[in-house]
Each structure stands twice: as structure tokens, then as C-alpha cells.
């Protein structure tokens, strides 16, 4: 019996396979404080019980991205321990609020496999779901990763590539937010006067501030999420590898960008869906992250008059302020771009 | 509508103006643990519920300086985002205890403005107050900052410089401490045998130990406080600036000095007032903080026989042990000095 | 009256002496989150309330090593502030579970003293015990440290060297674990299929992964434990010392090794005893820790059919993967070895 896990390789995945992940994790106010300390997030609903309660929450909910990272972390030992690259996300939905004291578990289903033409690796598509201690699904999302084959001589499986939506539809948004008494929203306390109607499609916002990342910070964050991907932690090995240093967990960049986006999207309190996400280039410690956003779409949510939805593209860069909105030159990303994230946020009407 | 805040400039402040700050923040045991981990503080009242409860507290109160940093942090986006320098503090009072679960908000009133003779900047004086979720004021203090003018062609305002007390009077101290059953104070558990009567005016104490600061630590602390001052976080910009590196939040130095002062002031469990404070020189990561204190005064508190007050000057240095009490040469501070803090602490009779 | 403590020297210790340590400390979910973030531990019992409750715990207990560090930290100002070296541990027993909200205090008894032949220092043996707020003993262990003499001219005390057990007996194990409904153990959630019966005496397990340590991380951890040993924190002084840099608290290495051991010992959820431990060589920031384990013994616990005990030797190294199990060459440790820890863990039948 082999006691240590060496993770799954491309040939270990088959469409339809369901993987229940270790380790269940109770989220607490300790995690909330660490999340705050790591990113400096300031959205009022997640920051203050009193603000959340005035709106109708039982207490401040846990930041959506902290929930995402906790679920993602659980999937790593089974899905991406032998990943060459984390290629993308789609169809991410936040389905129920998570509060301190809730315990999360995660399950993934393999929904696609496609071997690369070199026969050395392939792309695996999984839909991962997070559940609370009552079995309520709180999150699901699709991601696809390039995974090494252990035995390149094995035949390629029948390719299956799932059809993924370009974006979640507005009526799929908001399940993680109770009906809010939006009259109780204190714009003087939330840090921004801007409501749903103040944003226009095509509007671009430079989030101005920058955040430098240290090795200790991204490792503390990534361990908090129980994410075991080796590339983030082992300088001895990575020092001999392709980049000569530790790679920063892509989700760390997402959370930095989201925290920076408060300056411009201060009332956009809830990430309701991740339509598409791509880690365009790696980030390393010592570099500084800036971000800008574009409003891609705005939508009412059927049946709700408390909050509306903004579809946002947030672009994060390394060592490059974003006053001129660096993005692409033709099909090529600007070399400073590290993250291209398309998502829905909710904001008061 | 401009969505991003670029902060207030000198000309945006007027005497009498009241500014309600974002973001309300619920303090939790998670914040307490992080505060402990960042500074290594060991005062028994704040460290142990049982110790505090034996004295009459409902549970361990939150460290006074953590409360201070949380309130201070809220004021930054409105008061000091465009500050050239944080010049000083005075008249700081801790007015009510704060416990895990309490939510703090902050309000500032402009109480003075004085343009500098160069016409490029001016000094703004504000009194900032922190409130809990029940509207009880838990803290107030005055600080003054030098803020850039955005439009130097604007005329100077009528100068108003508030009269500030050199020190709080003893009868203004202790509101944040319930009447204590001081017989229950366990000197064998508190780490020091020294009581109020053991300290003499003029006595100097070298706190012996030193603490080196890392970039990750001061950034984690400063984000925990939701303090958004750019100079602490952005190496890309600061690398091109006046110091070539990130500045450490002055409050981080105050908390390090306070934690070091445990070795010599172990029973001085409560910071009751900040009489005057000055960040004499900046601190950078990699440097080591030492501290020493002088007892400036001792005072009974009218109506209380449980605790007395010591007025203390704590001086912190960088890369300089304090066995010989480095301070000033004439009017000039020793080049090692980074903090000169005059405050009242309470200690059992 | 001297207000600052300079710690005890060799001549200050006498056999039979009992020292009550400051500062009592309430452990919280904040500490649990930090412990998780610092080490990335993934044992399910400590990670999830629901997992622990299904087995019969009232909630997830606090990690045994976090309890150990908290008790150890309290002893430092009295026992090892003037220590030249922390020589070893033995006879460590975990006697009762600790939960968030419990407050720990610590007491040590001097059980041996032996002056070194050079007359400059001596070895002090102490048995330290941790208690919760109800006076229940939760932990005890023996450690011995080499401590400087302050006055080398003093005569040597009568040498007393305690007899220490090579290992705890199986019937001394398990007091910190309630009777468990072991049928409820979810092996699909715990991260490993291996039970008690799957391990064999002599079996060696490479834990595969490595963890690089940063200065900020070990200082944050060591302050969290209120461990005041100067060598961990003061680069100004240590830069002029024997190693030119800060030493990492040995307990930090133990916790890293324990967290790494999850990959191979995933169901070994409880450290029941520390038979013997030695910090073979110092660790410094920037180096990477790997670990491997050998099963030294297996034992049923009298009267329990829920869990059995594995006696494990875990060896940690610096900048050296452990696929070939580096340990000793004759009596000499491999130069990469930093920790040699012999302990009992409990694991489901």
C-alpha cells in the first residue's frame, strides 16, 4: 500500500469520474481576519456584522473569494498536483452564503479530457462544487488544467471538450445573497456613492493603487486554503526549475485585484459569478500588482429590485500602473498583464 | 461621476467639517490572534479571558492599540491619502472597552488648518473618534498631518491652530476600564511583581529586547487595519520615490514599542491616553526596533483605588539598543530615534 | 527593584524548585487559523468541526503541537532566556483535549541540574505542565537546556540527572482523545485510506513535499506562542553573533515536519506523546524543510478499540529531499538533518 499520494496523471482521469476531496474545513473569524490582513479588502458587507445585519444578513458573510480559494484548495491534491498549467475557469456560481462556523467540503466531476498532440500531456476539465455542513451547495465552477501523462505510451482517450457558457445569465445570479433591505445601505459607510445606475457599459476604471507581494504573504495565504501545489512552497526545487523561484498561486492575484477594485467598485459587494478567468502570466514575489476594470455589461436580476449586476472585466498587471488600461495588442496580451478575469458582481440599485 | 477616490487635498479641508469614514469593521478573536502574532504582546488582561474575568471584565478586552489602529485606518482614505507627513498626535483618550464582536466606525472633525509659507501644502488638524455598534464612543484623538495642495494658486485659508493639552488630566483616565477587583490580580501570572507604588518619577527603564521588522509583517498589519496609505504597500512606486522603499506605518512602531515595554512595565495593562506622539524618523524593513521608557509622572485617579496611572515617555530606536537611553542632543533627536511617545498607562495599586 | 527580567542563570535553578509562568493565554479560532496558515496542516479532526463531531468530539480540538508551543512559549522567559542550547525533550504527554476558548497556564519543576566541566554553564532539566482554566492538566513534558552561569566562581551544585523513559508506554496514550465512534471516520474525507493495520514496524515513508521558511513566518509563529527567546527576533544582535542571522524556533520545524507528514500519515490525527526529540542543527530563513518518517513500533491501547498507536521517528532536513531517508552515518547525523523526533501518534483501527 502506497501511503503517499503522487497525485493523478492525465491517464487517471476519465469523463464522468467523480472525486470527493479531502480535507473538510471549518471557516472561522480567524480565516476572515487573515483574509483581511492578506488583501486589505474593505467591502462593508463582509467587514462589519452590523452593516450586514442592517441589510438582512444574519451576520457578515465570508468573502466570496475566500470561499472559492477554500474549495479550490481542496481540489489541488487530486486534480492539479501534476498540472503543468492552470489554463482557465468558467461557469463559476456562488450559490449560497457562507458564514463563520460553516464547514466546507468539495467534490469534482471530470467533464472533459483531451490529449495534447505531443502525447506527453493533456487537458482535463472538471466541475468542482463546494458544500456546507448541511449539504447545501455554496459554489461550483469549471476549470481546466494541463496535466502530465505518466505513461506517454498509453493511447489517447476519446477527446471530450465541454461546451462552456461565455457568461452566466442574469437569472443565475444572486443565490448567495438574501433579499436585502437596500434602503438600509449606508453609502456614507460603504466607501463609495456609486450605485448600479452609475455604471455604464464600456466604462473603464483604473483602480489606482498597487500592492507588492512578499513570499511570506502568498505562502501564508495558500496554506490557509490548504492548497498543496508544490510550486508555491519549495524554493529548493523551484530554484532549479523553469523560473528559478516559487510561483504565486493564481488565486492570490485574483484576491489582490478584487481588493484593489474597491477603489472604483466600492459598493460592488458580492462576486456572483466567474464567467471566465485566465492567468495570463505568472507572478513572483517582489513584484507589484495593479488593476483596472471595464464594465462589460449591466443587468437587472429577474425578481429582485434590491441589487443589480455588473459584468466586469478586471485586468491585473505586474510592475505596471494601469492609468492607460494595458490589455492586448491584437491577440497578444501586453507583457505586463497577469490576470484577465470576467465576472459578475452585485451592487445596490 | 468619478468612481475612484484620489483623497482630499489641503484645500478640501475646512474647520468645522465633519467626515464620516468608511468602512465599518467588526473586531474578532481573529484580529486578536493576528495582533498577538505581529507584536508578541503579553499583557495578561488582553491575553486571557480567565485573567480578565477574575478582575471583573466580561472577557479579555481588545488591546487598546489595536482599537487605535482600526480607527486610524478608517481615517486614512479621507484625511491622509495625500499626506506628506504624519506630524503628531495629542489628546488621545480611550473611553470604553472594546470586545471581540464589537463593530467600529469612525468620524473626524477638522479642528485646524494652516497653510505652509511655500503655498504648496498645509497642516490639517483633525479630531477623530471611534464608535462601537451601540454608538458608544470608544476612542478619540487629535492628529495633524501635512497635506499637499492640489491647486497652489488658491488663496490660503484663515489659519486656525487648535490649543492642545500637553497631557490628559488624571480624572480623564480610566473610562475604558471597569472597576476592578484588584485583589484578584495574580502577580505570579502577570509577568511582573511591580505595582503602581514601585515606579518613581524620573525612573528610566531599558526594555532590553529588540524586534526586527519584515516587509510582510508591516503590510499584513497595516492591511488588517484597512489602512490604505500607498507608501506602505507599493514597492514599484516607492522604489522610485524619496526613500527607494516602502515606509512602515508609524502605528506599527508604536505597537512594537508597547510590546517591548512589557519587559519593565508588565502590569501596566492599559493605555489610557496618548498625550503626545511624534514619528521622529521613518522605519524600514530589515531594521531592528529597541525601546526604553521614562516615568514622567504618577497619578492617582480620582474615585479609584484599584488602579493608578503612570505617565510614560517611550522612545523607540532603529538598530540601536537602549541601555544608555538615546534621546536628544539639545533639541536634536539622536539619529537612531524613530518614535517619541508620551502616554498614560494604568497599573494596579 | 529591577523591573526588567534578565532571565534565570544556571545558579538560579535548584532541584525541586517550582516556577509558575506568565502569561495566561486564551486560545481561539484565530490561533487555529494562523496555525493553519503557517503550516498548511490538513488533519481532518483539527480542520473541521463536523468531522470531529461525527466522531464524538464536541468540536474540532486544537492541534496538539499548537498546545505544545503555547505551553513551551510560557516557559521561555523563566527557563531558557539565557540558554545556550535547547538540548532535548522527553516524556511528553498530551493529557486532555484543548478547545477554542480554553485558557492555558504553565508551571515547571526543576528535576535535574548538572554543571558542565568548564564551569561556565550547566544543564537544567525541567518538567513543564500546561493547565486549562479548570485546572485540568493538558500536557506535560521534560526538556533540558544548557544555561549559562552568571557567576562562574560559584561552586557546582550536586549533580542530579533524572531518569527519563525512552518512550511512553501504550497505556499512557490517548487521554486527550475521547472515545471515538470510529465507524464515523470518513476515509474519503480524511485524505488517506491507511489505517492502523496498514503500517508496519520498520516501514519508511518519504513525505515528498518541501516547505521553504521565511523570516516573517517564523517570527509570526513564535510571537503567536508568546515565546520571547531573543535569538529568533533580533537581527541587529544576531547579525553580530555566531550565525550572523536569526535562529528559527525549533518548534517551528517540528510543526512543519508534522504538517509535511500528512502525506503518508494522513489519518494519524493525534500526537499522543513525545518520546524524545532533538534539534540536531539550526534552521535559517530561506532554507527548505523536507521530512521522512519510520514506523518504530505499533501498539494497541489497553481498553480502546477505536484507535491504535504508531511510534514514529520523523526526521527533518534542510535543503535536502528525503527519498533516500537521510539520517546518520554511524553516530554522526547527516549534515542535512535538523530534527530527530520520536513520538506516538494515534490512528483509527
Amino acid at each position: 500500500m502506497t501511503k503517499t499520494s503522487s497525485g493523478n496523471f492525465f491517464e487517471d482521469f476519465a469523463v464522468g469520474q467523480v472525486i470527493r476531496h479531502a480535507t473538510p474545513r471549518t471557516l472561522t473569524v480567524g480565516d476572515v481576519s487573515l483574509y483581511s490582513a492578506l488583501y486589505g479588502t474593505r467591502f462593508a458587507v463582509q467587514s462589519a456584522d452590523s452593516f450586514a445585519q442592517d441589510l438582512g444578513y444574519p451576520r457578515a458573510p465570508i468573502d466570496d473569494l475566500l470561499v472559492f480559494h477554500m474549495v479550490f484548495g481542496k481540489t489541488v491534491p487530486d486534480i492539479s498536483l501534476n498540472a503543468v498549467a492552470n489554463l482557465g475557469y468558467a461557469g463559476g456560481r456562488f450559490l449560497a452564503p457562507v458564514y463563520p462556523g460553516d464547514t466546507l467540503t468539495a467534490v469534482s466531476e471530470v467533464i472533459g479530457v483531451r490529449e495534447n498532440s505531443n502525447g506527453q500531456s493533456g487537458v482535463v476539465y472538471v466541475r468542482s462544487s463546494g458544500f456546507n455542513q448541511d449539504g447545501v451547495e455554496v459554489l461550483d465552477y469549471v476549470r481546466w488544467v494541463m496535466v502530465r501523462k505518466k505513461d506517454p505510451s498509453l493511447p489517447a482517450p476519446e477527446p471530450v471538450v465541454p461546451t462552456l457558457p461565455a457568461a452566466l445569465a442574469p437569472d443565475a445570479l444572486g443565490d448567495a445573497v438574501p433579499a436585502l433591505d437596500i434602503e438600509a445601505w449606508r453609502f456614507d459607510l460603504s466607501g463609495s456613492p456609486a450605485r448600479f445606475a452609475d455604471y455604464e457599459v464600456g466604462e473603464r476604471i483604473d483602480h489606482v493603487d498597487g500592492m507588492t507581494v512578499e513570499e511570506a504573504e502568498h505562502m501564508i495565504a495558500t496554506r490557509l486554503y490548504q492548497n498543496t501545489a508544490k510550486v508555491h512552497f519549495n524554493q529548493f526545487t523551484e530554484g532549479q526549475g523553469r523560473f528559478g523561484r516559487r510561483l504565486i498561486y493564481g488565486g492570490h492575484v485574483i484576491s489582490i485585484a478584487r481588493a484593489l477594485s474597491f477603489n472604483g467598485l466600492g459598493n460592488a459587494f458580492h462576486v456572483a459569478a466567474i464567467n471566465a478567468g485566465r492567468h495570463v502570466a505568472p507572478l513572483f514575489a517582489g513584484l507589484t500588482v495593479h488593476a483596472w476594470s471595464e464594465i462589460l455589461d449591466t443587468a437587472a436580476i429577474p425578481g429582485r429590485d434590491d441589487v443589480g449586476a455588473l459584468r466586469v472585466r478586471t485586468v491585473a498587471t505586474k510592475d505596471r500602473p494601469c492609468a492607460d488600461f494595458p490589455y492586448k495588442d491584437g491577440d497578444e496580451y501586453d507583457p505586463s498583464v497577469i490576470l484577465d478575469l470576467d465576472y459578475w458582481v452585485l451592487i445596490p440599485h
Side-chain angles (χ1 to χ4, degrees), chain A residues 18 42 58 63 95-98 104 114 128 160 194 205 239 248 259 265 280 285 342 348:
Chain A
V18 173
R42 290 188 291 144
D63 193 283
L95 298 166
V98 177
L104 299 186
R114 190 190 60 201
S128 299
V160 176
I205 302 164
I248 292 175
L265 288 162
V280 175
D342 172 347

Side-chain angles (χ1 to χ4, degrees), chain A residues 45-46 57-58 61-62 64 67 93-99 136-139 172-180 269-273 304 346:
Chain A
V45 167
Q46 288 78 17
Y57 282 96
I62 285 181
D64 310 297
V67 172
R93 303 179 300 166
F94 292 86
L95 298 166
V98 177
Y99 298 103
V136 174
E137 190 174 5
V138 299
L139 167 70
L173 307 177
D175 290 350
V177 176
L180 301 184
F269 68 105
H270 172 60
V271 175
R304 295 191 78 140
L346 302 196

Side-chain angles (χ1 to χ4, degrees), chain A residues 283-306:
Chain A
L283 179 69
F284 303 104
L287 301 177
T288 301
V289 178
H290 289 80
W292 66 273
S293 294
E294 178 172 354
I295 307 302
L296 299 178
D297 200 359
T298 67
I301 299 177
R304 295 191 78 140
D305 57 8
D306 52 351

Side-chain angles (χ1 to χ4, degrees), chain A residues 217-237:
Chain A
E217 293 170 346
H218 76 82
M219 293 201 299
I220 285 173
T222 309
R223 284 186 300 244
L224 183 71
Y225 313 142
Q226 297 178 315
N227 177 331
T228 59
K230 298 161 194 284
V231 293
H232 308 315
F233 301 115
N234 188 328
Q235 182 57 38
F236 180 79
T237 302

Side-chain angles (χ1 to χ4, degrees), chain A residues 61-96:
Chain A
I62 285 181
D63 193 283
D64 310 297
L65 293 177
L66 176 51
V67 172
F68 175 81
H69 297 321
M70 286 287 183
V71 172
F72 185 100
K74 291 187 193 333
T75 70
V76 167
D78 300 311
I79 305 299
S80 50
L81 210 62
N82 299 305
V84 182
N86 200 26
L87 298 173
Y89 312 99
R93 303 179 300 166
F94 292 86
L95 298 166

Side-chain angles (χ1 to χ4, degrees), chain A residues 20-297:
Chain A
R20 177 168 287 280
H21 306 293
T23 301
R25 174 74 152 79
T26 302
L27 275 70
T28 71
V29 291
D31 301 311
V32 171
S33 291
L34 267 162
Y35 192 83
S36 178
L38 289 163
Y39 304 110
T41 182
R42 290 188 291 144
F43 295 96
V45 167
Q46 288 78 17
S47 178
D49 284 337
S50 57
F51 193 95
Q53 287 163 346
D54 286 350
L55 298 171
Y57 282 96
R59 63 186 296 187
I62 285 181
D63 193 283
D64 310 297
L65 293 177
L66 176 51
V67 172
F68 175 81
H69 297 321
M70 286 287 183
V71 172
F72 185 100
K74 291 187 193 333
T75 70
V76 167
D78 300 311
I79 305 299
S80 50
L81 210 62
N82 299 305
V84 182
N86 200 26
L87 298 173
Y89 312 99
R93 303 179 300 166
F94 292 86
L95 298 166
V98 177
Y99 298 103
D102 286 351
T103 299
L104 299 186
T105 55
V107 175
S108 294
E109 180 180 356
V110 180
I111 60 169
V113 291
R114 190 190 60 201
E115 186 165 310
N116 288 328
S117 55
N118 63 15
Q120 304 292 316
S121 59
V123 177
V124 178
Y125 297 79
V126 294
R127 182 184 306 279
S128 299
S129 301
F131 297 89
N132 71 14
Q133 68 283 358
D134 299 321
V136 174
E137 190 174 5
V138 299
L139 167 70
D140 73 354
Y141 65 95
V142 173
R143 73 163 166 144
W144 52 107
V145 291
M146 193 184 301
V147 182
R148 271 190 288 273
K149 266 179 103 165
K150 192 169 188 183
D151 179 358
S153 73
L154 287 174
E158 189 68 28
V160 176
V161 175
T163 304
L164 297 170
L168 274 292
D171 63 4
L173 307 177
D175 290 350
V177 176
L180 301 184
D181 175 10
I182 212 69
E183 296 302 312
W185 189 282
R186 293 276 303 269
F187 289 89
D188 58 344
L189 292 180
S190 68
S192 167
R195 302 158 174 264
F196 176 75
D198 295 314
Y199 291 88
E200 287 179 25
V201 175
E203 181 176 355
R204 291 173 167 196
I205 302 164
D206 171 23
H207 300 306
V208 181
D209 306 308
M211 183 64 65
T212 305
V213 182
E214 300 295 320
E215 298 280 15
E217 293 170 346
H218 76 82
M219 293 201 299
I220 285 173
T222 309
R223 284 186 300 244
L224 183 71
Y225 313 142
Q226 297 178 315
N227 177 331
T228 59
K230 298 161 194 284
V231 293
H232 308 315
F233 301 115
N234 188 328
Q235 182 57 38
F236 180 79
T237 302
E238 296 308 312
Q240 303 160 28
R242 144 169 91 128
F243 298 111
R245 51 196 314 198
R246 283 161 277 177
L247 272 170
I248 292 175
Y249 164 49
H252 197 64
V253 176
I254 294 177
S255 280
I256 293 172
R258 167 75 174 151
L260 292 174
S261 80
F262 180 86
N263 195 357
L265 288 162
N267 289 317
F269 68 105
H270 172 60
V271 175
I274 294 175
N275 297 313
R278 181 168 168 198
H279 297 296
V280 175
L283 179 69
F284 303 104
L287 301 177
T288 301
V289 178
H290 289 80
W292 66 273
S293 294
E294 178 172 354
I295 307 302
L296 299 178
D297 200 359

